[in-house]
């Protein structure tokens, strides 16, 4: 149930242009996400358009997570998708399933993300990322065993990006679910092949 109707782009305050520009980090490690033939998914932006100053701050942070993170795009998307599952955020899940194929996550792997880190499909490195998301969402801390495995695969800088990726998408999931932001029709159509 929608509690706050997202603003349509023509209703966005002028400050949203500057806020959206903040998504481009000064140093980019990864290429921009493809946009040609992709859904726009404007409802999340329309919800954030109520608060352009907050949107700008979040987009600066999110721009780092999407384009400048020390994680690979695949690692980032595994974390985001697992966080979306744990927080039951249909919107985040759908948006990032679209991206998952671009970064080498197979359909079988997407399906297994919902089952978690114990699937035999995962390498140790992938499983520990999913388990890390589980522990951060459930307990707010990475457990000792998980830490040891994570530390064997990632640098301290990468572990910081892991923690902040899960935290950002947990927060975004809270907003999406609390506002009742509905999945955009263009995203739904893209996923169902309509």
């Amino acid at each position: 149930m929608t509690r706050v109707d997202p603003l349509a782009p023509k209703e966005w305050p002028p400050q949203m242009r500057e806020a959206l520009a903040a998504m481009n980090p000064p140093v980019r490690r990864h290429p921009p996400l493809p946009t040609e033939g992709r859904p726009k998914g404007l409802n999340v932006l329309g919800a954030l358009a109520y608060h352009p100053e907050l949107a700008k701050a979040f987009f600066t942070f999110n721009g780092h997570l999407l384009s400048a993170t020390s994680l690979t795009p695949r690692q980032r998307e595994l974390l985001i998708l697992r966080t979306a599952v744990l927080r039951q955020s249909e919107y985040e899940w759908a948006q990032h399933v679209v991206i998952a194929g671009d970064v080498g996550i197979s359909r079988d792997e997407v399906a297994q993300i919902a089952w978690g880190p114990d699937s035999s499909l995962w390498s140790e490195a992938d499983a520990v990322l999913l388990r890390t998301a589980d522990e951060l969402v459930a307990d707010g801390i990475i457990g000792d065993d998980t830490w040891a495995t994570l530390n064997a695969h990632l640098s301290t800088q990468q572990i910081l990006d892991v923690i902040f990726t899960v935290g950002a998408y947990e927060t975004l999931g809270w907003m999406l679910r609390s506002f009742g932001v509905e999945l955009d029709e263009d995203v739904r159509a893209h996923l169902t092949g309509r």
Side-chain angles (χ1 to χ4, degrees):
M1 171 180 80
T2 300
R3 290 177 169 171
V4 177
D5 290 321
L7 296 173
K10 66 180 185 263
E11 299 172 307
W12 292 357
Q15 299 92 330
M16 274 301 282
R17 181 180 300 276
E18 184 182 345
L20 289 167
M23 286 283 280
N24 294 310
V27 177
R28 181 180 283 279
R29 285 190 173 114
H30 306 291
L33 298 171
T35 57
E36 187 68 33
R38 295 305 176 99
K40 294 191 185 333
L42 295 175
N43 284 350
V44 65
L45 301 177
L48 288 166
Y50 283 99
H51 196 334
E53 295 84 10
L54 175 65
K56 182 179 179 184
F58 180 75
F59 293 157
T60 300
F61 181 33
N62 196 238
H64 168 81
L65 298 176
L66 294 174
S67 302
T69 181
S70 60
L71 301 171
T72 68
R74 176 186 168 82
Q75 291 168 326
R76 176 197 71 220
E77 292 305 314
L78 287 173
L79 290 165
I80 293 170
L81 286 167
R82 185 63 183 159
T83 303
V85 166
L86 295 169
R87 282 294 164 223
Q88 300 174 2
S89 179
E90 175 194 21
Y91 197 99
E92 276 180 336
W93 174 263
Q95 287 273 10
H96 287 274
V97 163
V98 172
I99 297 168
D102 296 332
V103 300
I105 299 174
S106 72
R107 287 178 182 252
D108 288 343
E109 289 174 318
V110 167
Q112 289 299 306
I113 288 169
W115 294 105
D118 296 324
S119 168
S120 62
L121 187 66
W122 303 120
S123 67
E124 181 181 72
D126 287 346
V128 76
L129 287 173
L130 300 175
R131 187 166 287 107
T132 297
D134 287 4
E135 291 177 5
L136 287 170
V137 169
D139 305 321
I141 188 171
I142 301 168
D144 291 339
D145 292 341
T146 302
W147 179 267
T149 306
L150 193 64
N151 201 37
H153 289 280
L154 300 177
S155 69
T156 301
Q157 184 180 53
Q158 289 173 309
I159 293 171
L160 283 165
D161 277 327
V162 165
I163 293 166
F164 279 84
T165 299
V166 172
Y169 282 88
E170 182 168 26
T171 302
L172 187 60
W174 292 339
M175 185 277 291
L176 291 164
R177 290 186 64 212
S178 293
F179 274 38
V181 176
E182 293 183 1
L183 189 59
D184 306 83
E185 281 307 312
D186 64 336
V187 175
R188 191 178 309 283
H190 184 84
L191 290 173
T192 60
R194 289 188 280 147

